[in-house]
Amino acid sequence: MTHTLLHQILDYANRADPYPIYEELRKSPVHHDTDGPYVISTYYEIRSLLHDPRISSDPRNQTAGGADPLAESSSEESALPPSFLRLDPPEHDRLRRMTNRHFGPPHSPRRVDAMRPELQDIVTGLIDGIADPGGIDLVEEVSYPFPVTVICRLLGVPREDEARFHTWADTLAASLDPDPDADPAERGKGAHEARMELGMYLAGLIEERRKNPGDDMLSQLATAKGEDGPMTTMELLSTAALLLIAGHETTVNLITNGMLTLLRNPDVLQRLRAEPRLAVPIVEELLRFEPPVQLLPGRTTLADVEVRGVTIPKGSTLWLILASGNRDPQRFENPDRFDPDRPDIQHLGLGSGVHSCFGAPLARLEAQLALSELARRLENPRLLDDPPPYRQNAVLRGPRHLRIACDGIRP
């Protein structure tokens, strides 16, 4: 792989439209520099590797020769032990199983759906609070506060503490999004302080929930006595931090990318306004067409692995370009067309295999509710900036701001 292509993937200037670069990558499904990661860009190869037990997500398996230029920016909690996102089976399976017991099927099959009325109230309140229909920043006013508030309610953060939680989330989200104009030392110091403060706060909340459990997820995790035994306090802290960071940053981008795409496809926006149920296939097509997670860095080969005739040596670092696989014409017909009526949509937008997105049911529901409510209530919405300014992050892709205007807000 040429340095030019690698740098183009990382270059902020290409964030508004990285798809021509991905098209170039797919001409040779495996790219490699002598000192860089192996980059995989085609659908079937990515999907196969996501299910391959010889591929590790644990950074401790990386060798010096497999250095990953995105390793630092993709780390979600350096002050805590690795979350299950960064572990392999069987450690991964135990922690994920324990967490999922209180989040989804088979033990809590209705947890997410039962949140629907509360989620509807939150997004309705945010849209009600828009001060100026002629100058809306969708990120600041809707798509960012919505999932952070949801995570607070899910974990059981008291309402009076939600503002503090939002502040920590803001700081940690900024640390994931490298700013070339900011002082790296200061940004790192701020992120470290936010992690420490959040960790101390969560530790206190966990101790309180162990003494006086409620019906929130943190209480259930803190008092669990299942077949896997209880989580340690440090495991609880890393899991809660994972839910906070991974659980809201991706959803912010999904909602924002979704509204941007709908405004660029007004016929689909009009259909959604008339048919709220269309939100379900729209969100699935968005996860293919504009996935919030563009690539998965930090994967490591535990053995020599052959991909399309190329032997990737043991200890090598992989980048799996999910967004490129989602636009692979060998898998999807007319892949660069946004089509919510697409009949076959087995996308990679939420990953696949043992590390498939843990919060997928909640992310889907949040995006469906937000987009359908915005479509229904905003009168004649239109973009003020196109393309909008994008986040610096090469992994989590979405606009930093999305400035739109409308003629009014329906009740």
Side-chain angles (χ1 to χ4, degrees):
M1 178 179 180
T2 66
H3 276 290
T4 302
L5 275 174
L6 178 62
H7 290 158
Q8 283 180 329
I9 294 172
L10 298 174
D11 188 358
Y12 169 69
N14 294 310
R15 208 68 76 236
D17 185 12
Y19 296 103
I21 300 164
Y22 300 156
E23 183 177 3
E24 189 68 24
L25 282 172
R26 287 193 300 270
K27 292 178 181 178
S28 179
V30 182
H31 289 271
H32 178 56
D33 260 346
T34 54
D35 58 350
Y38 284 81
V39 179
I40 315 298
S41 56
T42 47
Y43 179 92
Y44 291 107
E45 285 66 38
I46 292 170
R47 186 173 175 85
S48 175
L49 290 169
L50 287 171
H51 290 261
D52 193 325
R54 298 172 297 172
I55 306 303
S56 169
S57 296
D58 191 331
R60 293 172 293 188
N61 287 315
Q62 291 181 11
T63 65
D68 188 343
L70 284 175
E72 182 179 352
S73 65
S74 66
S75 173
E76 78 278 357
E77 71 279 79
S78 61
L80 295 170
S83 69
F84 58 78
L85 185 70
R86 308 291 288 159
L87 295 173
D88 297 330
E91 291 176 278
H92 162 275
D93 297 352
R94 179 180 67 87
L95 289 171
R96 179 166 174 141
R97 185 166 57 239
M98 292 171 74
T99 308
N100 199 60
R101 188 178 191 91
H102 310 289
F103 187 72
H107 301 289
S108 305
R110 288 176 290 278
R111 177 157 210 140
V112 171
D113 194 61
M115 294 179 70
R116 184 183 291 268
E118 186 171 18
L119 299 187
Q120 184 70 56
D121 287 344
I122 294 169
V123 77
T124 296
L126 290 169
I127 296 173
D128 287 343
I130 292 173
D132 177 13
I136 303 167
D137 183 342
L138 191 79
V139 175
E140 297 291 332
E141 298 183 64
V142 178
S143 56
Y144 185 82
F146 180 31
V148 180
T149 302
V150 172
I151 289 294
C152 286
R153 306 284 172 85
L154 183 69
L155 290 177
V157 174
R159 298 286 176 96
E160 61 269 22
D161 290 344
E162 283 186 10
R164 295 169 65 199
F165 214 79
H166 277 245
T167 301
W168 291 321
D170 287 347
T171 304
L172 293 176
S175 74
L176 295 174
D177 195 19
D179 182 353
D181 299 323
D183 182 343
E186 282 298 312
R187 188 175 68 245
K189 180 183 176 184
H192 179 74
E193 290 175 354
R195 286 191 187 96
M196 294 300 292
E197 291 176 12
L198 174 63
M200 288 190 293
Y201 173 81
L202 287 172
L205 197 59
I206 287 166
E207 190 60 32
E208 171 62 27
R209 291 297 186 270
R210 281 177 172 151
K211 294 175 183 175
N212 301 294
D215 61 357
D216 55 88
M217 191 168 172
L218 202 57
S219 293
Q220 292 169 332
L221 289 171
T223 58
K225 295 183 176 66
E227 59 196 36
D228 293 299
M231 278 190 188
T232 67
T233 297
M234 292 304 286
E235 287 172 341
L236 262 171
L237 286 172
S238 64
T239 299
L242 170 67
L243 292 172
L244 168 64
I245 301 301
H248 84 267
E249 272 302 294
T250 50
T251 309
V252 172
N253 289 341
L254 179 56
I255 294 170
T256 310
N257 289 339
M259 197 61 190
L260 174 60
T261 302
L262 288 172
L263 289 168
R264 289 171 171 170
N265 293 269
D267 56 325
V268 180
L269 180 62
Q270 181 59 39
R271 286 180 62 195
L272 177 59
R273 186 175 295 124
E275 306 172 58
R277 291 174 181 266
L278 193 63
V280 174
I282 282 175
V283 168
E284 292 311 301
E285 174 69 343
L286 283 169
L287 286 163
R288 183 199 69 83
F289 185 76
E290 288 279 25
V293 179
Q294 290 280 289
L295 66 98
L296 296 178
R299 298 300 195 265
T300 309
T301 51
L302 299 177
D304 290 358
V305 175
E306 184 176 322
V307 178
R308 294 283 285 268
V310 176
T311 298
I312 302 176
K314 176 182 177 180
S316 299
T317 297
L318 301 180
W319 285 4
L320 306 179
I321 314 290
L322 304 180
S324 175
N326 278 345
R327 298 279 189 112
D328 188 346
Q330 297 298 315
R331 175 61 184 82
F332 297 103
E333 187 176 350
N334 297 319
D336 294 322
R337 181 163 62 93
F338 178 68
D339 180 10
D341 299 316
R342 191 177 294 277
D344 178 14
I345 195 166
Q346 296 294 316
H347 56 72
L348 301 170
L350 296 168
S352 191
V354 297
H355 286 287
S356 60
C357 178
F358 172 82
L362 182 58
R364 283 180 161 112
L365 182 57
E366 287 176 281
Q368 291 162 12
L369 291 174
L371 293 175
S372 59
E373 193 68 3
L374 287 164
R376 183 182 73 81
R377 297 191 61 190
L378 302 188
E379 296 180 7
N380 188 29
R382 52 203 178 271
L383 290 167
L384 296 178
D385 297 320
D386 192 11
Y390 274 78
R391 299 176 184 272
Q392 303 283 344
N393 200 302
V395 175
L396 302 173
R397 177 176 170 270
R400 183 184 293 276
H401 302 284
L402 186 63
R403 295 179 61 245
I404 65 176
C406 65
D407 296 339
I409 299 176
R410 299 181 182 91

